[in-house]
Amino acid sequence: MDKQHLRLILNGKSAGRDDVREAVNEVRSMGHEVSVRTTYEPGDIPRLVREALSDHASERIDTLVSGGGDGTLNEVVDATLHELAEDEKPPFAFAVLPLGTANDFAGQIDLDADDILSCLRFAARAEAKPTDIGKVNGCVFVNMATGGFGTRVTSETDPNLKKVLGGAAYLFTGLQRFSELAACEARIEAEDFTWEGAFLALAVGNGQRAGGGIRLCPHAKLDDGFLDLTILPFPTSGRAIDLLTMLLDSGAEGLNNALIQKKVRNVTIQTEDSVQFNLDGEPMNGQSWEIGIRHHQINLRR
């Protein structure tokens, strides 16, 4: 096995974890180089990405490892691509060290967040495979963009509640917020597809899961050149509470008859009122959304 240079960008919230330190030491003892950079405040990730790109020119970095949750991976990839030309591929692969609460993306690529050592070994050993990314109004998402009531639940879930309940915290928060349920009116257009109406929630997935393991786009693949669009129309029968409970509890597969699902390359969404979208957990607000796929834009160890 060739010696690898892993550059770990570590979310400062996890810097004191013993299992992270032990994993770094163990992978170093295998003969690999692991250089660690820790975030401290907003703006650190773009700065550390620029440093990695600069360092790569003189000391070859094989893999940029994102140590944190889905949002950390999103920010690392987004910062890297913003430093490059439009169609330029990053000079190193990416890998995930799952240290967040939900770790939805890590779960899809079969990483065990309870075994950090195996995850860092995987970053050194696994094949770097071509992987798609999505873009919303110029901003990157690796896993999923979600919008509607369910998005607000995700972004407003108490971090302390997430620590105690894990993914179930999203369901708990959603049940507390049912009094605020309201329809989002939208026009959604893609290749050979137009839909207009009120939705309760929607997802555009490169990956399959979000919100603590909820399979919103169960048929999505990371390298097929498509995004998976899932729309949950707002029901006319007053069953909004039941539908949202089922979605949060069992994912899209439990709601097949109530959902609209399409594979798309590009999709535009116009909403009557301002709505919130989450890009791998990072919130954006607006009424006009241009969403597209960038096929095989990065290489990811998976």
Side-chain angles (χ1 to χ4, degrees):
M1 182 174 55
D2 293 337
K3 174 185 173 183
Q4 299 286 307
H5 179 184
L6 308 182
R7 170 64 56 86
L8 171 60
I9 294 183
L10 179 63
N11 187 307
K13 296 176 184 176
S14 302
R17 286 179 52 162
D18 290 338
D19 56 348
V20 173
R21 186 175 292 106
E22 291 165 4
V24 169
N25 289 334
E26 177 67 24
V27 171
R28 283 172 176 163
S29 74
M30 295 164 57
H32 303 297
E33 181 180 354
V34 184
S35 54
V36 182
R37 303 291 186 271
T38 303
T39 67
Y40 179 71
E41 58 191 2
D44 279 351
I45 286 181
R47 175 178 58 80
L48 295 174
V49 163
R50 287 192 295 271
E51 180 190 0
L53 289 165
S54 176
D55 290 348
H56 174 78
S58 58
E59 54 175 307
R60 197 190 88 248
I61 294 172
D62 297 287
T63 305
L64 194 60
V65 184
S66 169
D70 293 336
T72 303
L73 173 64
N74 174 294
E75 195 173 353
V76 167
V77 174
D78 186 53
T80 303
L81 295 179
H82 269 100
E83 294 295 320
L84 304 176
E86 181 73 12
D87 295 318
E88 187 179 359
K89 292 189 71 168
F92 34 64
F94 294 90
V96 179
L97 192 65
L99 304 171
T101 302
N103 300 305
D104 287 306
F105 186 78
Q108 177 169 341
I109 60 175
D110 296 324
L111 294 179
D112 181 0
D114 293 325
D115 189 349
I116 293 304
L117 174 56
S118 72
C119 293
L120 197 59
R121 281 178 178 157
F122 187 84
R125 292 171 167 172
E127 180 184 355
K129 298 179 181 178
T131 301
D132 301 339
I133 62 158
K135 296 196 86 172
V136 178
N137 293 355
C139 295
V140 164
F141 66 95
V142 180
N143 184 38
M144 192 176 296
T146 55
F149 175 77
T151 313
R152 192 166 60 201
V153 168
T154 301
S155 67
E156 295 183 8
T157 297
D158 187 312
N160 294 318
L161 191 65
K162 287 197 288 184
K163 288 179 183 177
V164 175
L165 298 178
Y170 298 113
L171 175 59
F172 177 84
T173 306
L175 293 172
Q176 303 306 305
R177 303 295 298 275
F178 277 140
S179 62
E180 298 181 21
L181 279 179
C184 300
E185 293 282 346
R187 179 177 176 84
I188 301 173
E189 297 183 71
E191 312 91 73
D192 304 317
F193 172 76
T194 301
W195 182 85
E196 195 164 356
F199 68 87
L200 182 58
L202 64 83
V204 183
N206 187 38
Q208 297 178 356
R209 304 189 291 189
I214 304 166
R215 286 166 59 86
L216 297 174
C217 299
H219 308 296
K221 296 181 179 179
L222 295 170
D223 56 4
D224 64 353
F226 289 93
L227 295 167
D228 280 41
L229 171 66
T230 297
I231 306 169
L232 177 58
F234 202 94
T236 56
S237 60
R239 293 182 57 237
I241 291 176
D242 292 340
L243 288 176
L244 189 60
T245 301
M246 290 171 64
L247 181 68
L248 294 172
D249 190 39
S250 57
E253 290 148 312
L255 280 172
N256 280 335
N257 293 334
L259 295 174
I260 298 165
Q261 296 178 293
K262 301 288 288 187
K263 289 216 174 255
V264 300
R265 287 191 176 90
N266 296 280
V267 58
T268 62
I269 301 171
Q270 291 284 148
T271 59
E272 193 170 287
D273 300 308
S274 181
V275 298
Q276 180 172 287
F277 263 82
N278 276 348
L279 278 59
D280 296 340
E282 301 301 312
M284 296 175 66
N285 290 282
Q287 293 175 258
S288 181
W289 309 92
E290 297 279 345
I291 306 174
I293 189 80
R294 298 285 293 278
H295 187 44
H296 290 180
Q297 179 69 45
I298 64 172
N299 289 324
L300 180 75
R301 308 243 177 226
R302 58 184 175 89

